[in-house]
Amino acid sequence: MHSVAILVLDGVVPFDMAAPMQVFDWTRLPDGRSPYRVRLCAERPEVAADGGFTLRVDRGLEALADADTVIVPGRTDETPLSPAVVAALRQAAEAGARIASVCVGAFVLAEAGLLDGLRATTHWVAAGRLAHAFPLVDVEPDVLYVDNGRILTSAGAAAALDMCLHMIRRDLGSAVAADAARMSVMPLEREGGQAQFIVHDHPPVPRGSALEPLLEWIEDNLAHEVTLGALAARAGMSERTFSRRFREQTGTTPLQWLLRARVRRAQYLLENSDHTIERIARQAGFGSPTAFRERFRKVVGTTPYAYRSSFHGRRAATAGVS
């Protein structure tokens, strides 16, 4: 099983701690098995949590040494970290563990020197303070989370859910992540200031809206040419009225929604089929493989080939999880 160690420090914010704990604990493989083992760990057996209560923690800092993922929740106690905590975090990073912070937990990673030269985020209220205190960190205040590979940071506690679902999807694929999102009553994808890597088979459809049947029709016809005029006619509106109503109900334009849907379809096919890039470009409705590659890189941040290699490799590596 993939071991997740959540490091709780004095002043730990309960929600920052509980959000990743629950998301990983609720995650299940298609056969019902639990792929993650989640443990709290701390420097001392008792931790004073923010909110006036005390946590009793069974595992010490040694839990970081054999963890596959280490998560550091935010804390309100701003006293400097102990040398033991700094050493444990650095050793975990050097051993290859994936290390992630929630909210102002980014300050802990920065103090341990793990964010030097990297992009990072934290709660927007604290972003300026993080940038001032740690000038070697490239702070991005307008994103939900930042993934540097082995080091991740998230904004407020709710953004920790986005980050955790992202990690689950990277580990186990979109289907498992989608199930985890449903258990959290959380969309698998939220709009943010960055092109998010969290996607599912279809972009969200606003349930109960007047446009729902049309959006479902688009999903069924992505491989065909779809024009604004055709959509407006199908909705029984002028193009101008249709565009206005569409933005009101979806928060984006018809063209952007269509392009996003096509990229999501392509991602699903890249993950779950062995079709050629050219065939996937046609199935997703792109005019040419070149147009497909350009749009895919712009939205996802990598090439279709690299995306497929990444997810196929992770799926093969996790197929034997027990």
Side-chain angles (χ1 to χ4, degrees), residues 18-43:
M21 184 168 62
Q22 290 298 122
V23 173
F24 284 109
D25 192 53
W26 282 339
T27 302
R28 291 293 182 272
L29 296 173
D31 62 6
R33 290 177 297 159
S34 176
Y36 297 104
R37 181 177 64 251
V38 184
R39 297 288 186 270
L40 295 181
C41 62
E43 185 175 11

Side-chain angles (χ1 to χ4, degrees), residues 94-163:
E94 292 169 0
R98 178 173 61 188
I99 300 181
S101 65
V102 179
C103 197
V104 293
F107 284 80
V108 176
L109 301 193
E111 189 174 339
L114 300 182
L115 297 182
D116 289 355
L118 298 179
R119 296 164 52 244
T121 194
T122 186
H123 194 290
W124 62 270
V125 169
R129 186 159 52 91
L130 180 66
H132 182 266
F134 301 97
L136 295 180
V137 181
D138 181 10
V139 180
E140 298 190 4
D142 59 346
V143 298
L144 294 176
Y145 64 87
V146 172
D147 182 357
N148 292 289
R150 285 292 180 182
I151 305 293
L152 300 91
T153 53
S154 67
L161 298 175
D162 297 280
M163 180 181 69

Side-chain angles (χ1 to χ4, degrees), residues 70-103:
V70 174
I71 297 180
V72 181
R75 61 172 186 155
T76 56
D77 188 329
E78 297 184 1
T79 57
L81 299 176
S82 72
V85 169
V86 171
L89 284 170
R90 289 177 177 174
Q91 289 167 9
E94 292 169 0
R98 178 173 61 188
I99 300 181
S101 65
V102 179
C103 197

Side-chain angles (χ1 to χ4, degrees), residues 6-19:
I6 300 178
L7 175 62
V8 290
L9 303 170
D10 280 335
V12 63
V13 178
F15 189 26
D16 288 9
M17 173 189 69

